Amino acid sequence: MLVEIRLRPGIADPQGSTIERALPALGFDGFSGVGVGKAIRFAVDGPDEDSARARVEELCRRFLANPVIEDAEVTLSAAGTP
Amino acid sequence: MLVEIRLRPGIADPQGSTIERALPALGFDGFSGVGVGKAIRFAVDGPDEDSARARVEELCRRFLANPVIEDAEVTLSAAGTP
């Protein structure tokens, strides 16, 4: 399972801005809107996909993301491919 | 476009281990293999998907990831959904 945590629109992203500003000097043109977030992967036990997703969304809301400044997106994959 | 950068198997991930150890005490059981990486999103100009992907993979290899300890996975999405 993959949880992608990214800054909400309008929240300053100095890490992303710095990368975006540096890329042309490094020979990479045409990149825009660079944003840096977190990618958290794990396996979770559960009887079915819906209950696993609900638990992970609660986990994101309560602990993994700061909902004031961050959005979390949960992507499930089948067992064996966490 | 999304680049997910994660630590290679066998590289210590203290951030992931700490989250995994804390979850049962917070009421979330059944989580395993927690790993924390980076999620970098951006838009890239290019004539077609193959050339854009090739440039992004070179960018990952040279600047975004440390290939000694990290793997990078590139996921393309259509224009307008960076």
Side-chain angles (χ1 to χ4, degrees):
Chain A
M1 189 166 307
L2 170 66
V3 173
E4 183 192 346
I5 295 171
R6 48 180 180 244
L7 290 165
R8 299 178 69 124
I11 303 291
D13 181 355
Q15 212 179 156
S17 311
T18 303
I19 293 174
E20 187 167 336
R21 213 165 44 235
L23 287 178
L26 297 168
F28 289 89
D29 288 300
F31 288 79
S32 59
V34 181
V36 179
K38 274 178 284 188
I40 306 178
R41 274 193 185 267
F42 46 80
V44 56
D45 298 338
D48 59 64
E49 190 176 309
D50 286 348
S51 70
R53 178 182 285 275
R55 284 174 67 214
V56 171
E57 282 176 354
E58 194 199 342
L59 174 63
C60 288
R61 210 167 39 240
R62 291 182 53 195
F63 298 114
L64 296 183
N66 174 352
V68 177
I69 59 165
E70 292 171 330
D71 284 326
E73 186 181 318
V74 177
T75 310
L76 270 93
S77 44
T81 58
Chain B
M1 189 167 307
L2 169 67
V3 172
E4 185 193 344
I5 295 172
R6 47 180 181 243
L7 290 165
R8 299 177 68 124
I11 304 290
D13 182 354
Q15 212 179 154
S17 311
T18 303
I19 293 174
E20 187 167 333
R21 213 168 40 236
L23 287 178
L26 297 168
F28 290 89
D29 288 300
F31 289 78
S32 59
V34 181
V36 179
K38 276 177 283 190
I40 306 179
R41 276 194 183 265
F42 46 79
V44 55
D45 298 338
D48 59 65
E49 189 175 310
D50 286 348
S51 70
R53 178 183 283 275
R55 284 174 68 214
V56 172
E57 282 177 353
E58 196 200 342
L59 173 63
C60 289
R61 210 166 39 239
R62 290 182 55 196
F63 298 114
L64 296 183
N66 174 352
V68 177
I69 58 165
E70 292 171 330
D71 284 327
E73 186 182 317
V74 177
T75 310
L76 270 92
S77 44
T81 57

